[in-house]
Amino acid sequence: MSLLVTGSIGIDTVEAPSGKVADALGGSSVYFAYAASFFGQVRLVGVVGEDCPADFLKPVEDNANIDMGGLEVRAGSKTFRWHGKYQDDVNQRDTISVDLNVLAERGPVIPQNFRDSKYVFLANTHPGLQMELLGQCERPGLVVADTMDLWINTEKPLLAELLGRLDGIVLNDSEALLLTGRHNIVEAGLEIARLVKKFCVVKKGEHGCLLFIDGQTYPLPGWPSSNVVDPTGAGDCFAGGMMGYIAEQDDFSSQTLRKAIAYGTVVASLELEDFSLNKLAVITRADIDARLKEYRQLIEF
Amino acid sequence: MSLLVTGSIGIDTVEAPSGKVADALGGSSVYFAYAASFFGQVRLVGVVGEDCPADFLKPVEDNANIDMGGLEVRAGSKTFRWHGKYQDDVNQRDTISVDLNVLAERGPVIPQNFRDSKYVFLANTHPGLQMELLGQCERPGLVVADTMDLWINTEKPLLAELLGRLDGIVLNDSEALLLTGRHNIVEAGLEIARLVKKFCVVKKGEHGCLLFIDGQTYPLPGWPSSNVVDPTGAGDCFAGGMMGYIAEQDDFSSQTLRKAIAYGTVVASLELEDFSLNKLAVITRADIDARLKEYRQLIEF
């Protein structure tokens, strides 16, 4: 079924213990869409500036399952840029520079032919903009968003309003604690699941994730990665794998969501094995399914 | 089959957001033995001072599955005391005071009738003492130990010698990274599993654990606890549940170890729901099995 993602498109420079890439394709909507594309069609809405190199978006444009009909190339604007550096412990990241550029301007517009999307993912941005984008959708069946500490700290009332309109939210453990003021992640997740209509997923990086739905908590461990090259985009790929599977199944029962977070875990674990989209560009759905099977076997007892 | 534990017996004072207990029964061998007792007989070896109150050890002495034949009440010595305080985030703990007392003296002696134990767990203490105790055992079938950052920092050569004599080791994630100088926990665990004869278990507190055996990594998530009253002893109860199940099955195949760490997770998750042994004192094996079943269902997808 139709899946829509709104989010950033970025020019990333990433330094990690294993190497460096400069001016690589990144951004939340790009990672999400590529991850979701293994499961079916995905509609991407995002903005770049006129500085965006001609071939820069080729990996997503060449992907038959990604509909770039929501791409705006804005005249007179510049593309979002991010430069980060991972420490020897790749769980530790320093931001060297951020140039919001076009992301600091007005948001994109969802094209008419995207507005009937049944599944909608609003990647992290200002909650006001997330609501504006959501307002352009016609009766979506399942709306899920991501957020970040910045908005929790600066836009709490708006964020609360957004939460009330969402079916689900995906956020990090530190963000879940910050949002609720709690110290226990299970209490925090259960509370957030009550603030939205249906479910909350708390991501814990290498430690896996927790799904909160119907007052119940479903934990999954991380895939045991010894080969972490570049974690950039792993969280967006988690969400993309999760939403891609949900849209493919055209179902969001508790049972489907539990399998969806397993797919999210597995797609993210593949993505971080190389820089940018390099790893996802060389794998197939069969590789994802093979790792899902292995993951299931590893946690069986 | 016969299971032996050597370790501390302590008088604990614990402050936590949920309350406080003073002069409560604790210590690694006590928590381990109580956790293992749900699976069968366990032999406890440890020392207290003559200051130890008459009824202090009653919970373990009254446990029909704990053989206290290895208890030494040392004249002229004082019992180990520990006072800790958990912060609002119970993953953060401050040590208010430690009085090693009898633990700073010579170690205990393993009684003759305990020396044929097939399964041996050497709870954390000086690696030289762990080897001395191991030397008193006659051809044990499976020897597993715990250690801590202090010995990794101060007794690395001795610790390396100990590791070479062990079948398995159980340690925290931060300790595994410290021991190997690595930054990736999977690489660290795989390396440590090669330093011992058989396996390594890395405990990650609320994030679960990882079993490393035969070059393979098996992750499990933590039990999703919203009711953490006092995490003191949870690591020892993990080891006790794990070793108790191994001894009960009288098998240490990879398959049994995978189920053993699940039992360890579940017993630890019950223990931290109250201070000292209070929770374990009111549950049965059936409660543990019920939670194990629920745990398995939660992580199925």
Side-chain angles (χ1 to χ4, degrees):
Chain A
M1 286 298 289
S2 52
L3 170 61
L4 172 76
V5 59
T6 66
S8 66
I9 300 169
I11 303 177
D12 287 354
T13 295
V14 179
E15 298 175 65
S18 51
K20 178 177 174 172
V21 286
D23 299 341
L25 179 55
S28 57
S29 71
V30 168
Y31 278 115
F32 179 100
Y34 214 98
S37 75
F38 291 102
F39 301 86
Q41 284 281 327
V42 52
R43 298 161 165 179
L44 190 155
V45 171
V47 191
V48 294
E50 63 179 7
D51 62 334
C52 191
D55 276 0
F56 187 68
L57 293 168
K58 199 166 162 35
V60 275
E61 285 170 341
D62 286 355
N63 186 317
N65 269 353
I66 302 180
D67 186 337
M68 295 296 286
L71 174 72
E72 180 191 350
V73 182
R74 191 170 292 171
S77 293
K78 294 178 79 175
T79 307
F80 168 57
R81 282 183 175 268
W82 176 78
H83 181 175
K85 182 175 180 176
Y86 292 91
Q87 297 178 14
D88 287 335
D89 172 1
V90 291
N91 297 303
Q92 305 296 321
R93 181 172 83 181
D94 300 312
T95 296
I96 307 294
S97 64
V98 183
D99 301 301
L100 286 177
N101 295 330
V102 77
L103 294 190
E105 302 171 10
R106 70 178 189 282
V109 173
I110 298 177
Q112 284 299 333
N113 63 325
F114 279 12
R115 295 186 175 199
D116 64 350
S117 299
K118 181 166 179 187
Y119 296 92
V120 174
F121 187 80
L122 308 165
N124 169 48
T125 187
H126 189 285
L129 176 55
Q130 286 175 308
M131 281 192 281
E132 190 185 308
L133 291 163
L134 178 53
Q136 296 171 31
C137 296
E138 301 157 1
R139 301 175 298 282
L142 188 82
V143 181
V144 182
D146 191 0
T147 191
M148 74 184 290
D149 50 357
L150 176 64
W151 315 123
I152 298 170
N153 283 320
T154 63
E155 297 288 359
K156 212 158 183 179
L158 262 186
L159 189 57
E161 196 184 330
L162 172 70
L163 288 174
R165 296 209 212 165
L166 297 176
D167 297 292
I169 184 160
V170 176
L171 73 182
N172 293 331
D173 46 357
S174 60
E175 293 160 353
L177 297 177
L178 182 68
L179 179 60
T180 57
R182 292 180 180 270
H183 300 285
N184 177 289
I185 198 66
V186 177
E187 289 181 332
L190 289 168
E191 179 179 330
I192 296 169
R194 291 190 297 266
L195 299 175
V196 297
K197 292 182 201 161
K198 197 166 173 66
F199 71 91
C200 168
V201 175
V202 173
K203 297 174 290 177
K204 305 194 296 175
E206 66 171 320
H207 300 306
C209 66
L210 296 158
L211 166 67
F212 301 90
I213 183 168
D214 300 334
Q216 188 58 272
T217 307
Y218 299 98
L220 279 183
W223 170 263
S225 298
S226 59
N227 177 31
V228 181
V229 171
D230 175 12
T232 309
D236 300 310
C237 287
F238 175 93
M242 180 188 92
M243 291 296 289
Y245 179 72
I246 290 169
E248 181 192 53
Q249 298 300 308
D250 193 16
D251 176 66
F252 38 92
S253 65
S254 173
Q255 199 178 337
T256 296
L257 284 168
R258 289 164 66 180
K259 194 162 175 183
I261 61 167
Y263 265 114
T265 300
V266 160
V267 175
S269 78
L270 286 161
E271 185 272 336
L272 51 71
E273 292 181 2
D274 205 340
F275 287 99
S276 188
L277 297 172
N278 296 351
K279 179 77 182 196
L280 295 188
V282 296
I283 63 167
T284 65
R285 173 66 180 268
D287 295 310
I288 294 170
D289 284 335
R291 183 166 287 192
L292 188 86
K293 186 178 172 192
E294 193 181 346
Y295 179 54
R296 183 187 275 124
Q297 288 167 345
L298 289 180
I299 66 175
E300 265 174 11
F301 59 81
Chain B
M1 286 298 290
S2 51
L3 170 61
L4 172 76
V5 59
T6 66
S8 65
I9 300 170
I11 303 177
D12 287 354
T13 295
V14 179
E15 298 175 64
S18 51
K20 177 179 174 172
V21 285
D23 298 342
L25 179 56
S28 56
S29 71
V30 167
Y31 278 114
F32 180 100
Y34 214 98
S37 74
F38 291 101
F39 301 86
Q41 284 280 327
V42 51
R43 297 160 166 181
L44 190 155
V45 172
V47 191
V48 293
E50 62 180 7
D51 62 334
C52 190
D55 276 1
F56 187 68
L57 293 169
K58 199 167 165 29
V60 276
E61 286 170 340
D62 286 355
N63 186 317
N65 269 352
I66 302 179
D67 186 339
M68 295 297 285
L71 174 71
E72 179 191 350
V73 182
R74 190 170 292 169
S77 294
K78 294 178 79 176
T79 307
F80 167 58
R81 281 182 175 270
W82 176 78
H83 180 175
K85 182 175 180 174
Y86 292 92
Q87 296 178 15
D88 286 336
D89 172 2
V90 291
N91 297 303
Q92 306 295 321
R93 182 173 80 183
D94 300 312
T95 296
I96 307 294
S97 64
V98 183
D99 302 300
L100 286 177
N101 294 330
V102 76
L103 294 189
E105 304 170 9
R106 70 180 188 282
V109 172
I110 298 176
Q112 284 298 333
N113 63 324
F114 279 12
R115 296 188 174 197
D116 64 350
S117 299
K118 181 166 179 186
Y119 296 93
V120 174
F121 187 79
L122 308 165
N124 169 47
T125 186
H126 190 288
L129 175 56
Q130 287 175 310
M131 281 193 280
E132 191 186 308
L133 291 163
L134 179 53
Q136 295 171 31
C137 296
E138 300 157 1
R139 300 176 300 282
L142 188 82
V143 181
V144 182
D146 191 0
T147 191
M148 73 184 290
D149 51 357
L150 175 65
W151 315 123
I152 297 170
N153 284 320
T154 63
E155 298 287 0
K156 211 156 183 180
L158 261 187
L159 189 57
E161 197 185 329
L162 171 70
L163 289 174
R165 295 208 212 165
L166 297 176
D167 297 291
I169 184 161
V170 176
L171 74 183
N172 292 331
D173 47 357
S174 60
E175 293 160 353
L177 297 177
L178 182 68
L179 179 60
T180 58
R182 291 181 180 270
H183 300 284
N184 177 289
I185 198 67
V186 177
E187 289 182 331
L190 289 169
E191 179 179 331
I192 297 169
R194 290 191 296 267
L195 298 176
V196 297
K197 293 181 199 160
K198 196 165 174 66
F199 71 91
C200 168
V201 175
V202 172
K203 297 174 291 178
K204 305 193 296 175
E206 67 172 319
H207 300 307
C209 65
L210 296 157
L211 166 66
F212 301 90
I213 184 168
D214 300 334
Q216 187 58 271
T217 306
Y218 299 97
L220 280 184
W223 170 264
S225 298
S226 59
N227 176 32
V228 181
V229 172
D230 174 14
T232 309
D236 300 310
C237 286
F238 175 93
M242 179 186 94
M243 290 295 289
Y245 180 71
I246 290 170
E248 181 192 54
Q249 298 301 308
D250 193 17
D251 176 67
F252 39 90
S253 64
S254 173
Q255 199 178 337
T256 297
L257 284 168
R258 289 165 65 181
K259 194 161 174 183
I261 61 168
Y263 266 114
T265 300
V266 159
V267 176
S269 77
L270 287 160
E271 185 272 334
L272 52 69
E273 293 180 1
D274 205 339
F275 288 99
S276 188
L277 298 172
N278 296 352
K279 178 77 180 194
L280 295 188
V282 296
I283 63 166
T284 64
R285 172 67 181 267
D287 296 310
I288 294 170
D289 284 334
R291 183 166 287 191
L292 187 86
K293 187 179 172 191
E294 194 181 346
Y295 179 55
R296 183 188 276 124
Q297 287 167 345
L298 289 179
I299 67 175
E300 267 175 10
F301 60 81

